[in-house]
Amino acid sequence: MGIQIIKIKSVAKATHDVLRIETEKPLNYQFEPGQATELAINKPEWQNEKRPFTFTSLPQEKHLEFTIKTYPQHKGVTNEFLKLKAGDELLIDDPWGTIGYKGEGVFIAGGAGVTPFISIFRHLQSTNKIGANKLIFANKAKVDIINEREFQKILGKNFINILSDENIDKYAHGFITEDFLKQSITNLDKHFYLCGPPVMMDIVEKQLSNLKVDKKLIVKEGF
């Protein structure tokens, strides 16, 4: 299909530094839950500055949604997204991505790495297939947790948060460790879906290896 122009329908805040942007959907545009695309702002100085973002809407919906973490201090593309409003235009490319749902398991995300899982969980909920899927979500502080209420509603006790910089009731404190994984997971013979900063993913993958998780069961995507 190639690059197409889409108009922004709305811009809202998902957290203090994460935007939820809803756009038009090109005719016959199709993607799978968990996939991403490249977006650019349709302004002369930004048209060639494409960046990867995950779809957080459902494939069957008539609009597209993107949940985008911004970094104002970088003065780059995501900072420019903070200036966007309804009516502005984006350039969208074809969908791509290696994270797709392969069966029930444990999803482990760090920060904005949760975005591929949003569409997957929404899709599973819409088809009544949530089952015993579990999400372990690592963040610095409670204010950083993307879509916390929605995940609580979808997953209940299978939504586990761990905060590195904040120690508060009902949230685990620290970093993901082998012991933490053993306490949080009862069955290691399931799929493990990983998405987050490369350093975190490398550490978690080594921890899973130490716990004798079959490499074939690990599905991952970096950002």
Side-chain angles (χ1 to χ4, degrees):
M1 293 175 70
I3 294 172
Q4 301 183 67
I5 296 172
I6 53 173
K7 195 168 284 189
I8 292 173
K9 298 175 75 173
S10 67
V11 180
K13 282 205 165 188
T15 72
H16 65 104
D17 62 357
V18 174
L19 295 176
R20 186 177 292 113
I21 297 179
E22 186 178 309
T23 74
E24 296 173 338
K25 186 178 184 179
L27 191 65
N28 299 322
Y29 193 91
Q30 298 178 339
F31 66 91
E32 296 294 324
Q35 284 193 312
T37 187
E38 286 195 325
L39 295 176
I41 298 167
N42 193 24
K43 294 179 181 178
E45 65 272 36
W46 295 103
Q47 287 172 342
N48 295 320
E49 297 292 333
K50 294 191 293 182
R51 298 292 186 275
F53 297 108
T54 307
F55 303 100
T56 50
S57 46
L58 290 170
Q60 66 268 28
E61 290 180 308
K62 293 180 180 179
H63 67 276
L64 297 176
E65 181 191 271
F66 300 92
T67 303
I68 297 173
K69 186 173 175 65
T70 61
Y71 302 88
Q73 68 274 21
H74 292 178
K75 306 299 180 188
V77 174
T78 60
N79 184 50
E80 202 64 23
F81 270 87
L82 290 165
K83 302 174 186 177
L84 295 176
K85 59 188 184 304
D88 287 341
E89 293 177 341
L90 299 175
L91 299 173
I92 187 171
D93 211 332
D94 294 335
W96 52 268
T98 57
I99 281 199
Y101 187 66
K102 302 182 187 306
E104 203 170 270
V106 180
F107 293 74
I108 302 175
V114 80
T115 54
F117 303 155
I118 294 173
S119 184
I120 290 173
F121 280 122
R122 286 176 174 175
H123 176 70
L124 291 173
Q125 184 188 40
S126 72
T127 53
N128 295 313
K129 293 179 180 176
I130 284 294
N133 280 296
K134 183 172 290 189
L135 172 60
I136 296 173
F137 195 6
N139 284 282
K140 289 182 179 179
K142 187 179 186 304
V143 295
D144 299 318
I145 303 173
I146 298 169
N147 291 18
E148 181 177 15
R149 287 184 181 178
E150 181 179 5
F151 283 133
Q152 284 174 340
K153 186 177 179 181
I154 293 173
L155 296 167
K157 62 179 173 49
N158 283 333
F159 178 38
I160 300 167
N161 289 281
I162 183 165
L163 307 176
S164 62
D165 295 1
E166 201 169 39
N167 193 354
I168 53 179
D169 289 344
K170 299 181 181 178
Y171 295 81
H173 174 60
F175 296 94
I176 294 174
T177 63
E178 281 181 44
D179 284 341
F180 180 76
L181 290 174
K182 282 193 284 188
Q183 291 168 15
S184 305
I185 302 163
T186 53
N187 182 2
L188 293 168
D189 191 25
K190 287 189 172 187
H191 285 94
F192 284 82
Y193 303 85
L194 312 182
C195 192
V199 172
M200 173 199 155
M201 287 178 56
D202 287 345
I203 292 170
V204 172
E205 195 168 3
K206 285 174 187 172
Q207 292 168 351
L208 293 174
S209 176
N210 291 340
L211 293 171
K212 309 301 181 191
V213 171
D214 189 338
K215 228 175 184 178
K216 294 176 185 174
L217 293 173
I218 298 174
V219 183
K220 59 181 180 175
E221 183 116 72
F223 71 89

